[in-house]
């Protein structure tokens, strides 16, 4: 099986490592427009070769679009034009799915596309961030599978099985709403926390001294790259705005309770928040 | 050296373990009003014995107040009444320091008190949460040391040296401002995140499936106990309100940029937030 991976960053590169090491891919062909990244990917050994997109599509059985979601929405129709009517399959790994499915909607090659979102990552990016085992035992969401060829879906299930992921199925609109609520908002709260602390604490030494483990883990996601996150937030705008508004309301409830020295209300809010224990280890 | 520890929870219990194991304390005497916790602490072996407060003060050379800050402000004057004029020392480990120093202000035993804040912890609490090595290589802040006996300060530096902590010095009012900016706000943002997600996602299965590592680490602090955090937020009210207000402003900047599809502004905010990388590993 030849696997083509467009974008050998954290996600694409980590897929390349495990798909090759675990025998799913006999050959990994990378497409990487950034010269520095391409050189790094070859040096690290993420791909067997780097080719231009057209040659990669010609050589690959499965093509993985592992680029930011704005680039992926532009690439997908081009790739579908090339593979419509063949047995080749294209997947993407973006964390916004409705715009991906919309751009493929009605395309004569739509059945060759499987929309997937492997829920794994770190706050780092680029080929240097790629690592083995990144996907192990995490969830992968497949969206709108009824529009894909059943055989293609089974093949991609086999791919994620090699990555050791639990596959679940969802409509793309429901997916985008749920990831806004759980994943996208976590990133925004971290960015806002970093901005607040950097704004309030002009003296970095204090941040360093006072940053207990709590702060580090809460602010960790604020290291995430703009290249990935600007298009996610823009393309999942409506869901993201809705959850930010709820978040600001909750923050104001806290503010008002503290302002009023209302210990009962502060306790009620903390006790309610503690319920997350039941769900998250 | 006999060390008395009032409150054998996460912090007091973890101190008990290392002070004994590393030879600083020959005997650890606990004070623990909650019967269940007292029984657990003895079973786990956190203390050599559990005694009433008065007997513990009589037997101890150093007394550690490791209870929530509201209880600590009530206990400190009582303990100072008992040890004024002796060579005994009392310290507290609370994350709010100005109210502690204020309650001791002008007391005839003020010089026997050293105000300290070991910046370490986890989101768990109670004797079961105590662990060896909790304090290793973290920062400990001493406040208003000029009001303490220099000999007592040196003795307590020795204690934190046994716990492997870096000691820094700060005024209690500056301390409370800085911890609000770095530590307290992290907890509030986590609580608000948990409340938002629990409110928006009625189906817990979705939270579980979609919670990638990012969400878990950002929401981790929302498991922290109300017993500890209600008094901290109330007693550091003014600083906490100020930082919440800045935080809400930053969040609104994000919201407005996303609302306007203003990619340049979103990128600018993320790039700025990324600067936290320089400070936090």
């Amino acid at each position: 099986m030849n696997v083509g991976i467009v974008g050998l960053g954290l996600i694409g590169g980590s897929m390349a490592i495990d798909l090759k090491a675990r025998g799913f891919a006999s050959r990994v062909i990378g497409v990487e427009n950034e010269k520095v990244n391409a050189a790094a990917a070859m040096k690290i050994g993420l791909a067997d070769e780097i080719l231009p997109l057209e040659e990669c599509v010609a050589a690959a059985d499965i093509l993985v679009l592992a680029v930011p979601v704005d680039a992926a929405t532009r690439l997908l129709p081009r790739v579908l034009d090339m593979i419509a009517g063949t047995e080749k399959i294209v997947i993407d790994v973006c964390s916004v799915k409705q715009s991906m499915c919309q751009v493929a909607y009605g395309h004569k090659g739509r059945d060759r596309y499987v929309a997937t979102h492997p829920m794994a990552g770190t706050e780092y990016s680029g080929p240097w961030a790629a690592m083995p085992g990144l996907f192990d035992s995490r969830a992968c969401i497949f969206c709108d599978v009824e529009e894909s060829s059943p055989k293609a879906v089974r093949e991609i299930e086999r791919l994620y099985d090699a990555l050791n992921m639990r596959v679940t199925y969802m409509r793309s609109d429901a997916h985008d709403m749920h990831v806004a609520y759980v994943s996208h908002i976590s990133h925004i709260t971290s960015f806002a926390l970093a901005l607040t602390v950097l704004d309030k604490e002009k003296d970095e030494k204090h941040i360093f001294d006072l940053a207990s483990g709590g702060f580090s883990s809460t602010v960790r996601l604020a290291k995430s790259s703009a290249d990935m996150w600007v298009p996610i937030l823009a393309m999942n705008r409506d869901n993201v705005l809705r959850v930010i508004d709820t978040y600001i309301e909750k923050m104001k409830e806290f503010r008002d309770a503290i302002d009023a020295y209302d210990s009962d209300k502060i306790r009620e809010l903390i006790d309610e928040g503690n319920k997350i224990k039941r769900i998250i280890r």
Side-chain angles (χ1 to χ4, degrees), chain A:
Chain A
M1 176 79 65
N2 291 341
V3 176
I5 300 186
V6 184
L8 288 167
L10 168 69
I11 300 296
S14 299
M15 276 195 162
I17 293 171
D18 283 344
L19 291 178
K20 187 79 187 275
R22 297 175 185 180
F24 183 89
S26 47
R27 189 172 153 216
V28 170
I29 307 145
V31 176
E32 180 54 70
N33 290 338
E34 299 237 16
K35 279 201 179 129
V36 179
N37 287 11
M42 284 308 288
K43 190 167 179 202
I44 300 167
L46 298 180
D48 296 299
E49 59 192 317
I50 307 270
L51 292 177
L53 180 66
E54 287 70 17
E55 291 174 42
C56 175
V57 173
D61 302 300
I62 295 176
L63 213 85
V64 180
L65 305 182
V67 290
V69 61
D70 54 339
T73 53
R74 289 188 294 268
L75 264 175
L76 182 58
R78 274 181 62 195
V79 172
L80 288 179
D81 289 347
M82 297 187 238
I83 69 172
T86 73
E87 287 296 300
K88 294 177 191 287
I89 306 167
V90 59
I91 71 171
D92 79 303
V93 295
C94 299
S95 99
V96 180
K97 295 259 76 82
Q98 208 178 354
S99 54
M100 291 299 296
C101 289
Q102 279 170 352
V103 87
Y105 181 77
H107 193 288
K108 65 181 189 297
R110 174 62 184 90
D111 66 317
R112 307 317 308 156
Y113 167 54
V114 183
T116 75
H117 178 200
M119 303 275 306
T122 74
E123 66 274 34
Y124 304 106
S125 52
W128 306 271
M131 58 169 79
L134 181 69
F135 306 98
D136 284 344
S137 72
R138 314 308 293 266
C140 181
I141 320 291
F142 280 38
C143 291
D144 301 350
V145 283
E146 61 288 352
E147 299 189 35
S148 308
S149 137
K151 208 175 137 200
V153 173
R154 279 196 302 278
E155 193 59 27
I156 300 306
E157 284 167 348
R158 220 170 60 76
L159 180 150
Y160 282 108
D161 199 46
L163 295 177
N164 231 335
M165 301 195 88
R166 287 181 282 120
V167 172
T168 56
Y169 305 85
M170 222 177 260
R171 281 178 45 144
S172 57
D173 54 349
H175 167 277
D176 286 7
M177 185 186 72
H178 291 303
V179 294
Y181 293 169
V182 182
S183 162
H184 299 173
I185 187 67
S186 307
H187 286 78
I188 298 168
T189 61
S190 281
F191 288 129
L193 179 62
L195 289 167
T196 303
V197 172
L198 291 165
D199 182 71
K200 283 284 189 189
E201 283 287 1
K202 300 301 176 196
D203 185 347
E204 295 182 1
K205 191 184 167 302
H206 281 136
I207 305 180
F208 179 78
D209 275 345
L210 297 178
S212 55
F215 176 67
S216 306
S217 76
T218 315
V219 86
R220 182 171 71 80
L221 299 179
K223 302 174 191 170
S224 304
S225 85
D227 287 344
M228 176 168 172
W229 281 93
V230 171
I232 289 177
L233 299 179
M235 298 182 84
N236 201 16
R237 171 177 173 272
D238 295 352
N239 289 310
V240 166
L241 289 181
R242 220 168 287 134
V243 65
I244 289 180
D245 288 342
T246 304
Y247 185 86
I248 291 176
E249 272 169 40
K250 298 292 177 190
M251 191 53 98
K252 282 189 180 153
E253 272 187 68
F254 250 105
R255 193 210 176 283
D256 293 345
I258 295 168
D259 191 27
Y261 285 114
D262 186 346
S263 296
D264 290 345
K265 180 66 183 173
I266 305 174
R267 177 171 295 274
E268 186 191 311
L269 289 168
I270 292 180
D271 285 345
E272 181 66 27
N274 280 173
K275 289 185 184 161
I276 204 73
K277 279 186 205 175
R278 287 198 321 241
I279 306 166
I280 305 287
R281 251 179 317 136

